[in-house]
Amino acid sequence: MSTAETTANETDVFISDKPDPKAGEHPPFVLPDLVEVNEEENISVAELSQIRDFYYSTTQPPYQVGSDQQTLNEYRLEQLESIERNESTSLWFPDSDRSNGTFVEDAHITILGSEKGTQTHLESDADDQDDTESELLLVPEDGTVFAYVDYTTRIPEGTCTTTNATRTCLNVTLLDQEVDRTLEIGSQSWSGDSETPHEIDYADADASGPTTMEVEATITTTLALEESIYELDDSGWVEDTTDTDTLNISHTVQDEAPVAVTTNQELSIDQTVVESNGSLDRIILEFDGPETLQDRRLWSTATFAEDAGKIENIWGVYSQRQYETATRGHPPEDNLTISPDQNMFNETGSVLNETLSAGNDTSTDESILNETLEQQPLASETHQEAFPNVLEKQLAAQRDTPTLEGEPTNLANPPELASSDSFSVASEPAPLDENVNLSSVNPRGQNTLIIKNAEQPVTEVRDIHDDPIPVSTQTVQERDVQLETETLNDTHAQFHLFEEDSGEALADETLWLHGAAQGQVTTDSDGTAVVERSDLYVRASFTGETDPAEEVYYSPAETEATFQPEAFNIYQLLMSFTGAFVSIIAFVILYIPFAYMRGANK
């Protein structure tokens, strides 16, 4: 455990948010409590150190990471910047798309996530679901993308050729290399900043549906091509002339990922504040939008006015290592610079000579230098090494339904949260990292939430990126409703819906049915509906309805129609038995004598 008494020799437990030693406790979102875990039998401190991923509410302030209490963003950037690289080696990940150019080898740019984004890994119920939809990276319209670029620089060895008493030596020297990064989301593009090489900021992304995020890096290599001519005299090789040319050659690598800019997605929130006898009776929140994960904006918290608590949605985020190891590639030995005194005769010298004489035609130069490299293969060696702990955020459903945070226990009628209408967002819960000591559930979205006994209306709703979602509010007066029933015959009943005080019929309202031939029915202009039974009991429910024009809310109502079971018909049963008995007698009288007569004639 990491406490105020922890010494340097003890195993430290990596958790998403290091506790403040002065406070002496862990943040509320760390579940389960590590102290309780440590008290369990047969668990060691070393095993505790493997429990490193925890849920936290998506709109809480960014949690802290590591002993320096860094924000997650600062921690991830520090981990990226700690990666060691040089011109002759490249470090890549299992899913990096590597590419080779004229002077670069094993070049790649790999998306490591975004500052406020989160991966989904949720399988949708949709039949036509694309394979990439479960891998969506959900990002806000303003954010930062983390992308790592690396490559190996290959410089051809110097060459010398000798003709009679003249020796020509060619050397290639690396002068400079620059990397220009760009980001595309849909049809929009942004440029990276050389001051922050591992991150690309973007703003005002306007993709309203799932699209593609693409990062690109163009590596520009500046070379000096030096040709030296030596003449042979009595003292040896003497330099005669030297000619130098500068060459720029570029190579581009890219990576892409499916994304959804969720702050652009559809979700309207209508709040109906229902008052009864001059005081707030209930709140109805209606969430209107697509019912698919890739098209619906995901809300996270709804906060009541005057700090009277808030509603937390089902969503949580946990972080895990994106890569445990990486592969290092490097040439078997350092590149050599050739001097005229070295006993090397290489026909590629004539190729480099053609390069110098070709002028500044970059395409010609690159083609010739490619031929040079093909004649001077540098087989890379590779080895595996540990990669810094760059955390990747994952979206998960941490509960089945939203919950009220901080419910007061001293009230006779505390607030009550009920979901009147919900739908399935995904068919399976998000998979958790093997070291996460938690569980996730199949996520469900809400179309309607009813909050009873609330003291204040909702004033703020935020999404999973902590961005605000507009809320439209209307205040209405509650009117009690009656739902009466009348049995018409053995198979049908009539339901009548009307306002209790005035007796006014409520037309075009939906009644939800149980035990009937259909699941729902709509009342006519008289507020009535005729229902056919499928059981001895038919229950009809009116869930409540708001009339904005009248600023009225009609309260829920429910009733049940009961049918008598069919009477037991003893006469019909006796007739059935009598008919069977008569049939048996007729068989005996007619068939047996006939059979006897046939037997006697044989």
Side-chain angles (χ1 to χ4, degrees):
M1 291 296 297
S2 177
T3 64
E5 290 77 25
T6 300
T7 64
N9 295 327
E10 291 180 339
T11 301
D12 190 22
V13 179
F14 178 87
I15 63 174
S16 297
D17 190 341
K18 287 282 187 176
D20 183 355
K22 296 181 181 179
E25 62 181 21
H26 295 281
F29 55 80
V30 176
L31 300 173
D33 185 82
L34 290 184
V35 175
E36 295 178 3
V37 175
N38 195 28
E39 291 173 352
E40 295 291 332
E41 296 181 359
N42 301 322
I43 187 167
S44 64
V45 174
E47 290 171 326
L48 273 176
S49 66
Q50 298 300 313
I51 305 174
R52 61 176 181 270
D53 294 323
F54 295 91
Y55 284 108
Y56 70 98
S57 297
T58 56
T59 56
Q60 291 283 356
Y63 59 70
Q64 308 296 301
V65 182
S67 58
D68 295 332
Q69 289 286 278
Q70 295 172 297
T71 66
L72 178 60
N73 184 39
E74 293 171 341
Y75 182 83
R76 296 168 85 185
L77 285 176
E78 182 181 87
Q79 294 294 290
L80 286 175
E81 292 167 357
S82 70
I83 302 171
E84 296 182 1
R85 69 165 303 276
N86 55 49
E87 294 169 353
S88 61
T89 68
S90 175
L91 187 67
W92 63 84
F93 316 120
D95 54 358
S96 297
D97 187 9
R98 292 175 291 136
S99 174
N100 294 330
T102 302
F103 287 101
V104 297
E105 183 180 73
D106 295 327
H108 71 92
I109 180 171
T110 303
I111 297 173
L112 298 181
S114 68
E115 178 184 358
K116 294 175 67 177
T118 177
Q119 291 282 357
T120 54
H121 296 297
L122 292 169
E123 294 189 10
S124 173
D125 286 325
D127 295 333
D128 58 349
Q129 177 199 14
D130 188 272
D131 291 339
T132 59
E133 290 180 1
S134 64
E135 302 295 326
L136 279 177
L137 175 62
L138 305 181
V139 297
E141 61 183 349
D142 301 328
T144 300
V145 176
F146 300 119
Y148 173 63
V149 180
D150 205 356
Y151 55 92
T152 299
T153 303
R154 295 176 55 194
I155 305 300
E157 296 178 355
T159 60
C160 290
T161 58
T162 302
T163 303
N164 298 326
T166 300
R167 172 170 287 186
T168 301
C169 290
L170 300 170
N171 281 301
V172 180
T173 304
L174 177 65
L175 295 181
D176 188 29
Q177 280 185 311
E178 293 183 355
V179 180
D180 295 320
R181 297 165 175 83
T182 59
L183 165 69
E184 290 186 1
I185 299 178
S187 60
Q188 296 174 278
S189 63
W190 298 265
S191 298
D193 188 344
S194 60
E195 298 297 323
T196 54
H198 293 303
E199 55 183 312
I200 305 176
D201 296 327
Y202 68 93
D204 300 323
D206 63 1
S208 58
T211 185
T212 299
M213 172 190 289
E214 181 178 286
V215 291
E216 188 175 272
T218 299
I219 306 162
T220 302
T221 304
T222 302
L223 302 169
L225 306 180
E226 183 181 77
E227 178 189 59
S228 299
I229 299 177
Y230 300 83
E231 300 293 339
L232 184 63
D233 59 15
D234 295 339
S235 61
W237 293 103
V238 178
E239 182 176 350
D240 185 21
T241 60
T242 297
D243 188 10
T244 302
D245 193 10
T246 301
L247 179 66
N248 291 319
I249 294 182
S250 297
H251 184 68
T252 300
V253 291
Q254 64 183 31
D255 190 20
E256 63 180 33
V259 299
V261 184
T262 59
T263 39
N264 297 157
Q265 293 177 348
E266 296 180 30
L267 184 66
S268 63
I269 303 177
D270 295 325
Q271 175 181 219
T272 300
V273 178
V274 180
E275 293 183 346
S276 178
N277 298 323
S279 61
L280 196 156
D281 179 76
R282 74 189 69 192
I283 294 173
I284 303 172
L285 291 176
E286 297 178 89
F287 303 88
D288 186 19
E291 295 187 359
T292 54
L293 180 70
Q294 63 270 18
D295 299 312
R296 183 183 182 93
R297 190 175 183 183
L298 304 179
W299 71 277
S300 180
T301 59
T303 305
F304 296 104
E306 300 181 6
D307 295 326
K310 67 180 178 180
I311 307 169
E312 287 192 344
N313 199 8
I314 64 171
W315 302 111
V317 171
Y318 72 96
S319 58
Q320 66 178 20
R321 293 186 181 185
Q322 188 168 5
Y323 301 102
E324 298 283 348
T325 61
T327 302
R328 178 81 68 179
H330 56 87
E333 59 183 18
D334 294 335
N335 296 327
L336 302 176
T337 299
I338 302 301
S339 70
D341 295 328
Q342 289 179 269
N343 187 21
M344 173 175 283
F345 298 90
N346 192 326
E347 293 301 324
T348 56
S350 61
V351 177
L352 285 177
N353 194 35
E354 293 178 29
T355 301
L356 286 173
S357 63
N360 292 322
D361 186 348
T362 303
S363 61
T364 303
D365 295 346
E366 186 171 358
S367 175
I368 293 172
L369 288 172
N370 272 325
E371 295 180 30
T372 303
L373 289 174
E374 289 174 1
Q375 298 179 47
Q376 293 183 311
L378 292 175
S380 295
E381 295 179 351
T382 63
H383 69 271
Q384 298 291 313
E385 62 181 64
F387 189 73
N389 188 23
V390 180
L391 300 178
E392 180 184 44
K393 293 190 289 185
Q394 303 282 356
L395 182 69
Q398 54 187 342
R399 60 180 71 91
D400 294 315
T401 59
T403 60
L404 280 166
E405 182 187 82
E407 295 184 19
T409 58
N410 58 344
L411 297 179
N413 295 309
E416 177 186 348
L417 180 62
S419 176
S420 61
D421 187 16
S422 64
F423 60 93
S424 175
V425 173
S427 56
E428 295 183 3
L432 302 180
D433 183 86
E434 62 180 1
N435 292 315
V436 178
N437 190 25
L438 297 165
S439 61
S440 60
V441 300
N442 293 31
R444 297 191 62 83
Q446 291 74 43
N447 286 327
T448 306
L449 287 178
I450 298 178
I451 304 101
K452 299 179 180 178
N453 303 324
E455 297 181 353
Q456 297 290 337
V458 169
T459 57
E460 181 184 65
V461 178
R462 290 186 172 269
D463 67 8
I464 60 172
H465 306 302
D466 202 20
D467 291 328
I469 304 176
V471 181
S472 175
T473 301
Q474 63 176 345
T475 301
V476 298
Q477 300 299 317
E478 183 176 20
R479 292 186 184 177
D480 291 332
V481 167
Q482 286 289 332
L483 182 58
E484 294 182 347
T485 182
E486 178 184 355
T487 303
L488 301 179
N489 51 44
D490 292 341
T491 58
H492 290 78
Q494 177 178 278
F495 294 94
H496 183 212
L497 184 68
F498 60 95
E499 185 184 334
E500 186 177 84
D501 291 339
S502 66
E504 180 183 352
L506 298 182
D508 297 324
E509 300 292 353
T510 299
L511 302 181
W512 298 92
L513 306 173
H514 180 74
Q518 66 263 51
Q520 64 186 69
V521 68
T522 302
T523 59
D524 61 16
S525 58
D526 295 328
T528 62
V530 177
V531 175
E532 181 183 1
R533 73 179 181 91
S534 62
D535 203 341
L536 293 179
Y537 302 92
V538 176
R539 186 168 61 251
S541 301
F542 174 64
T543 58
E545 182 67 27
T546 301
D547 186 346
E550 298 294 332
E551 297 184 349
V552 169
Y553 171 73
Y554 296 108
S555 63
E558 185 175 278
T559 190
E560 187 174 76
T562 303
F563 293 85
Q564 293 296 327
E566 294 183 5
F568 183 64
N569 195 332
I570 187 63
Y571 175 77
Q572 185 177 3
L573 180 61
L574 290 175
M575 289 299 293
S576 298
F577 283 138
T578 302
F581 183 70
V582 169
S583 298
I584 295 172
I585 295 298
F587 174 79
V588 172
I589 294 174
L590 298 176
Y591 177 76
I592 293 180
F594 178 74
Y596 175 77
M597 292 174 63
R598 289 189 59 188
N601 292 332
K602 291 183 179 181

